[in-house]
Every structure is written in structure tokens, then in C-alpha cells.
Amino acid sequence: MAAVSEMVQRRSGSIFRTVSAHPVGISVAILIISSCTQAIPLENFYPFGNETFDAQLPPNDDGFDGPVNLPAPLFPFYDELYESIFVNNNGLLSFLEGVSQYTPDKFPLPDRKLIAPFWADVDTLGTGVVWYRSTTEAALLEKFMTEPQIQDGFTPSYLFIATWDHVGYFDSNVNKTNTFQCVLATDGLTSYAVFLYADGEIQWTTGDASGGIDGLNGTEGHAGFNAGDGVNFALLPESDSPEIISVDTTSNVKVPGVWVFQIDSEEVVVEGVCNSIDLQPKAYINPRSGPQQGGTAVIVTGPCFEESYKIICTFGGREVEGIYISEQQALCISPQLPSFGRLTFKLTLQNATGIVFEGETILFSLQPGTGNIAVDVDASNIDASNLILTPNETFTVTWAADQLIPSGLDASIDSSFLAVSILLYKYNQS
């Protein structure tokens, strides 16, 4: 197992912890945001239980259900696709196999593909129920699209909702219970996980067999993701520590008790901070997909940017120059590329002396289809339904410049920095 190191810094009331595996592991940056906002009440969970016809695990200790078939399309997780999932009593979901292990091991773990909202020794023989279901209910899909940090335009095909409802801990203890929920969503290319922890409903961290006394101390619960390759993983900063009992009061999206992650590729996207290029940090992009003909505004985070840097984004071998937005963000517009599917993205930063940062490649998905910018064609002197031109005929293409400002950026930004390409295709018929 790779060695694990931690760096903890305090910045203006927030705690920033980086967890990395050496020598080749991925570094995942997570921002814990303290807030006076009220934590999420149980009634704000996605509906669950008998009223929504959920399946449930029978009362058990260390059991699981599965494989549970997922609706189409396949679910992307750490660059692999899955058609089924396991629901484990001990506070986690898994792919390929169920998990009966009750004391969590430190991530990264080989051969275990895990989504763990709270991996600990859950025992429902005394109290509590584990519920789960898939749903395509339109109101719930729309609710998910409004969750913080979900990229504009993402439309989930379905949700998979698993809820640990007032569950006790081993050995059949009922004096303290935990209530939390994991909601998965995908459109076949992008996938998200939302962890929800009910206000005041995380009361224990450890089962008796994991060294716990009255539900505390010992080997505390883990929360995060494990790719199963022994290298790639992400952990909530409270994981494997007494602070995990306060996970309902912290967040990475400024809503206490709510944690949102994009989990389809090898890095978990959590924005809000930057790292010195001297640390050779991981670069992140959002969104990770766009139309084949280009024009997608891709926000790049990870390293700290300087205005003097030349920012180069390479999409599948084609370079485009990026735009400095802030110390935490840069913007690149995806170019038109000859085919669709998955390709590599790489970030390069240069100053006057040369390259100062060259990030590892990230997968970017190209979708066939059209872009989102409305285009008007002025061709009053020709048949606009066919757009057949003869020599000396002309037409004009116009667009609204303000539509080129990517969602989420300051509307005062000058749109002139966004490149517009006009491509003409010639077709001769004899």
C-alpha cells in the first residue's frame, strides 16, 4: 500500500487538506467550508422508504445486496463503465463485488471500487434500515440538476439513491444512530455523487469490533472514493479521524452536510482552491465533455495561475490558448476536432523563461451534435431552406456576442477574447 501524506493549512476560517499517495498517486484537493448556514434537515433528503417503494436490506450485520442492475446508460466511475452496483450495509456502495468488511482500511485499496459516504461497522439488527432504488422521476432529476456544482447542461438519465436510515452500530447498539444518503447520477459520460448528512444525525463513528467505545474512538469511519487500482482515491478531510462525527456541519459546496463530487474520471473535481506550481498539482477541468465542433467553455483549476502566464490547453493534440480568469481559474474554448469520443486534455503554463507547469493528461469526451449558440443567417437573396449558392451570391452569419460569455463567469468580461471560427463546407454535384 502506498504511503499517505497530509498537509493541513488554515486559510481565512477554512481548512484545506491535501491527501496524496506516493510515488505516483493522485492528489485530491478538497475545500471544507465552515458556514453559519443551517445544516441540511432530514426532510430535504431525496425521498426514501416504503412510500417510494424502495428496496431494503433485511436487518443484518455486514451484509449486502447485489449485484443490483442499473438503468441504461452504463455508469462511469474512475474511467470505467458499470452496469450494476452493490449496496453494502456498512455504509458504502461498490462495483463488481459486495463488501462485508466492517473496519475500514486506509485508501488507496487495490481491487476494490468503492463509493463510501460513511464506511463503518453498521449493524441494523438492533435499529435502522438501509434503503435503495433507481428512479427516473422527472421532479427528482430536476432537483439533482439544481445541486451545487453540477455543470450547466448536465441532464441525468437516472438517479440511484441509497439511504442509511437511523442505523445503529455493532454490536446491535441502539443508543446512537446515523442517517446519511448517497445519490448517484449520470448521463452516460459525466457522473456525480452527492453525499447528504442529516443535521445532528451523525452520532457514532466506530463499532465495538473496530476499537470503539460507546460508538467513538477506535478506527473511525471513512468517507470518499476508491478507484481499486491501489493508486487513485479521494477522501473527505474528516475521514479516519474523530472529526468524521461533524461531517454534517461541513461541506465543499457551502451547504453544511452536502458534498458534491464529479466521479466519472480519474480525479474527483472539487473546486475553490489552487496549489503552487512548485508542488506540481493536478489540473482539473469542468465540464469534461462538449460537442465535436468545439465551442465549449472549459474551466481549468488546480495550479495557481498568474496573469503573466501563457496558458495552453491541448485537446487531443490540438493546442488552443487559454484565458486567465483568476488565480484559481483559467478558461479554454474547445476547438473543432475531426472525430468524437474520448480524447486527452493537457494543460501547459509558460512564463518568459519557458514551461513552468505541464499537467498530466485528462480525458475529455466529445459528443456529436450541435452547439448551443444561436446563429442567424441573412440570405434574403437566395433560397434559405436549401442555402444553395451560385457565383457572386453572398450570405451573412450573425450571433449575439453576449451569448459567448460562459455560464458562471462575470458578465462584464469582454467577449472579444472568445475566438469564433466559421467553417465552410463545399459540396459539388455534377
Side-chain angles (χ1 to χ4, degrees):
M1 183 179 297
V4 175
S5 66
E6 293 185 348
M7 176 181 66
V8 179
Q9 305 171 23
R10 296 191 176 269
R11 301 183 181 180
S12 63
S14 298
I15 302 173
F16 171 58
R17 177 177 293 175
T18 297
V19 182
S20 59
H22 302 288
V24 292
I26 280 181
S27 175
V28 179
I30 296 178
L31 180 68
I32 314 171
I33 302 169
S34 300
S35 172
C36 60
T37 305
Q38 183 179 359
I40 181 171
L42 184 57
E43 53 266 29
N44 285 3
F45 272 30
Y46 287 73
F48 65 90
N50 286 321
E51 293 182 357
T52 52
F53 304 101
D54 285 14
Q56 67 181 88
L57 273 66
N60 76 93
D61 176 42
D62 306 331
F64 56 82
D65 270 3
V68 177
N69 290 330
L70 296 170
L74 298 178
F75 190 89
F77 179 64
Y78 278 108
D79 287 327
E80 295 186 11
L81 300 174
Y82 299 95
E83 63 181 4
S84 61
I85 199 166
F86 289 79
V87 181
N88 304 280
N89 202 61
N90 286 329
L92 69 162
L93 305 174
S94 58
F95 297 101
L96 301 182
E97 63 181 359
V99 178
S100 58
Q101 181 175 333
Y102 52 85
T103 300
D105 283 332
K106 291 183 180 295
F107 293 177
L109 297 172
D111 304 322
R112 284 194 167 177
K113 303 175 187 299
L114 308 177
I115 298 172
F118 202 101
W119 183 13
D121 196 358
V122 173
D123 186 342
T124 56
L125 292 172
T127 187
V129 180
V130 179
W131 309 93
Y132 65 90
R133 81 181 187 281
S134 298
T135 181
T136 57
E137 183 180 340
L140 295 183
L141 298 182
E142 292 175 4
K143 171 181 169 67
F144 192 92
M145 292 163 61
T146 66
E147 294 285 359
Q149 207 166 284
I150 302 300
Q151 68 188 44
D152 290 342
F154 174 76
T155 303
S157 301
Y158 64 88
L159 305 181
F160 186 83
I161 304 170
T163 309
W164 286 259
D165 178 13
H166 292 91
V167 294
Y169 60 98
F170 185 82
D171 181 17
S172 299
N173 290 293
V174 300
N175 62 321
K176 297 176 180 178
T177 62
N178 288 348
T179 299
F180 53 95
Q181 189 173 70
C182 176
V183 183
L184 305 181
T186 188
D187 61 3
L189 289 174
T190 303
S191 55
Y192 289 93
V194 174
F195 293 170
L196 303 173
Y197 303 93
D199 184 17
E201 297 290 348
I202 302 299
Q203 301 171 0
W204 63 267
T205 65
T206 318
D208 294 354
S210 302
I213 300 175
D214 195 30
L216 304 175
N217 302 313
T219 302
E220 288 95 350
H222 281 34
F225 307 88
N226 188 73
D229 56 8
V231 176
N232 298 322
F233 70 103
L235 285 172
L236 273 65
E238 296 95 340
S239 280
D240 192 25
S241 77
E243 285 73 30
I244 192 70
I245 201 167
S246 300
V247 70
D248 62 315
T249 67
T250 57
S251 174
N252 66 338
V253 292
K254 298 184 180 180
V255 182
V258 180
W259 295 78
V260 180
F261 305 90
Q262 186 174 339
I263 60 173
D264 48 277
S265 193
E266 68 177 11
E267 66 280 325
V268 174
V269 176
V270 182
E271 298 174 357
V273 294
C274 69
N275 292 299
S276 168
I277 60 172
D278 294 335
L279 301 175
Q280 286 299 300
K282 189 74 177 178
Y284 304 101
I285 57 174
N286 192 15
R288 290 207 201 92
S289 63
Q292 173 189 348
Q293 69 271 28
T296 298
V298 177
I299 300 296
V300 188
T301 60
C304 294
F305 297 97
E306 296 182 7
E307 287 192 74
S308 60
Y309 286 162
K310 181 178 182 180
I311 300 167
I312 301 171
C313 297
T314 305
F315 293 81
R318 182 172 176 184
E319 293 185 357
V320 296
E321 189 162 345
I323 304 297
Y324 173 89
I325 301 299
S326 68
E327 184 185 32
Q328 291 81 29
Q329 292 186 339
L331 171 69
C332 291
I333 306 299
S334 66
Q336 186 185 46
L337 291 158
S339 60
F340 61 89
R342 288 194 163 187
L343 52 80
T344 57
F345 171 94
K346 185 171 70 173
L347 172 69
T348 305
L349 303 178
Q350 297 179 355
N351 63 13
T353 62
I355 294 176
V356 295
F357 175 85
E358 194 163 31
E360 299 177 17
T361 57
I362 304 170
L363 288 180
F364 184 84
S365 297
L366 290 179
Q367 306 158 325
T370 59
N372 297 320
I373 301 298
V375 175
D376 295 323
V377 177
D378 178 7
S380 57
N381 60 329
I382 62 173
D383 181 356
S385 64
N386 292 320
L387 282 180
I388 298 174
L389 300 180
T390 59
N392 300 320
E393 287 184 322
T394 63
F395 69 92
T396 303
V397 178
T398 62
W399 58 88
D402 59 355
Q403 293 182 10
L404 301 180
I405 298 295
S407 176
L409 294 182
D410 189 337
S412 66
I413 293 177
D414 183 0
S415 64
S416 64
F417 69 75
L418 294 172
V420 175
S421 297
I422 299 176
L423 303 175
L424 300 179
Y425 294 90
K426 182 179 179 182
Y427 176 65
N428 290 325
Q429 182 176 359
S430 57

